Amino acid sequence: MNRRPAAAKINLALVVGPTRDDGKHEVVTVYQRIALADRVAVEPASALHVSGFDGDTIVGDALRALARAAGVEPRWSARISKRVPVAAGLGGGSSDAATALRLANATLDQPLPDDELERLGAELGADVPFFLRNGPQLGTGDGSQLEPLDLPQDYWVLLVLRHGTAKTSTADVYRAFDDRDGARDFDERKRALHEALAAIRRPRDLAQLPANDLASSPLVDELRALGAFRADVSGAGPTVYALFLHRAPARAAARALKSRARTWLTAPAWYV
């Protein structure tokens, strides 16, 4: 059975615009892979079977889509070992799907090319193609159109998920964004993001990236007070990430929050 890690991501920036003709929102986002990861294992089998996580639908959907595209029956057994928190804005399900696509594709007599895998991934979720590429990426369109970024990787990432926090559905988060006319001045906010990206040379420069348009948290200010040079909500939330130059203050921040939140201390990751 072939196994690979399925890394989580954070959105170092998320600028959201108007609704497109296809019903999705225009976005500009900075995807950064992190070392916190699920593990996915795939092997040929007599029929499709996904185990290890009862809530999965996307890995099964990914393997069926691959089989249709390759003209074969979906005959794989996949096992998911979860470490990434579920429905937390960290892309765990999308990463699992991308990893399953890559592993199952390698078992085919005629594997599909990378661009075809990305096309299949985009049909499953806007961030799935990101998990098929190395390195940080700028996502545009609905988030699935990618451009590689050269960003500093030498810092620590503290993830914080407050106890008792229930994820608001992504659809509801976007609906609230529309209700407050969040798309206004999209071109100006997009331009500010590109200008900030162009000026990044060292980790602290990441602090100049604009804040998440979709979600906010009072933990952001608290984490900055605890020494983070940047803190924000990832994706549609509810997880908050905080970036630290050194491990010691990141660990101290985790201890300060342990009675109120789950925390994970991790770091940027580059490779699929």
Side-chain angles (χ1 to χ4, degrees):
M1 181 174 279
N2 293 324
R3 298 175 176 84
R4 295 192 71 155
K9 59 82 180 166
I10 54 176
N11 298 82
L12 289 174
L14 178 56
V15 174
V16 182
T19 305
R20 308 178 337 159
D21 290 342
D22 61 5
K24 300 177 182 180
H25 284 73
E26 193 76 19
V27 304
V28 185
T29 188
V30 178
Y31 294 119
Q32 171 65 58
R33 181 178 282 100
I34 56 176
L36 178 68
D38 296 339
R39 290 198 69 83
V40 176
V42 174
E43 65 180 351
S46 59
L48 180 62
H49 179 64
V50 180
S51 63
F53 176 50
D54 292 341
D56 173 73
T57 58
I58 192 170
V59 168
D61 290 345
L63 295 176
R64 281 185 284 268
L66 175 64
R68 286 194 298 271
V72 301
E73 291 297 315
R75 293 175 176 165
W76 293 284
S77 175
R79 181 167 184 82
I80 306 166
S81 300
K82 292 295 292 182
R83 289 190 64 221
V84 178
V86 177
L90 300 174
S94 294
S95 186
D96 293 344
T99 304
L101 278 175
R102 187 179 290 275
L103 289 171
N105 190 53
T107 71
L108 296 174
D109 291 336
Q110 295 182 309
L112 300 184
D114 289 347
D115 60 346
E116 180 66 7
L117 284 186
E118 288 192 14
R119 185 192 66 78
L120 292 177
E123 294 176 355
L124 297 163
D127 57 353
V128 175
F130 163 70
F131 290 107
L132 292 165
R133 292 198 183 187
N134 292 324
Q137 301 281 329
L138 182 70
T140 58
D142 66 349
S144 63
Q145 299 170 29
L146 301 174
E147 177 185 340
L149 294 171
D150 184 12
L151 297 179
Q153 303 286 288
D154 49 334
Y155 54 88
W156 294 89
V157 181
L158 180 66
L159 304 175
V160 182
L161 185 57
R162 191 189 292 272
H163 294 316
T165 300
K167 170 152 176 107
T168 305
S169 75
T170 300
D172 285 345
V173 172
Y174 274 99
R175 191 173 300 113
F177 173 83
D178 291 337
D179 288 346
R180 62 178 183 266
D181 193 23
R184 67 182 181 280
D185 301 325
F186 174 59
D187 288 339
E188 181 179 332
R189 289 181 288 112
K190 181 170 61 173
R191 183 167 53 254
L193 171 55
H194 283 286
E195 290 173 354
L197 282 172
I200 292 173
R201 299 291 183 271
R202 56 181 185 156
R204 281 193 182 276
D205 296 334
L206 296 169
Q208 303 308 312
L209 292 170
N212 188 323
D213 277 350
L214 282 183
S216 60
S217 169
L219 284 171
V220 168
D221 289 337
E222 186 171 357
L223 285 160
R224 288 174 180 153
L226 288 167
F229 65 84
R230 179 174 175 81
D232 205 351
V233 178
S234 182
T239 302
V240 175
Y241 67 84
L243 310 185
F244 293 82
L245 288 177
H246 303 290
R247 184 174 185 175
R251 293 180 69 180
R255 289 193 297 271
L257 295 168
K258 68 178 182 180
S259 66
R260 291 180 286 140
R262 295 175 67 195
T263 61
W264 298 260
L265 183 57
T266 185
W270 189 275
Y271 295 106
V272 171

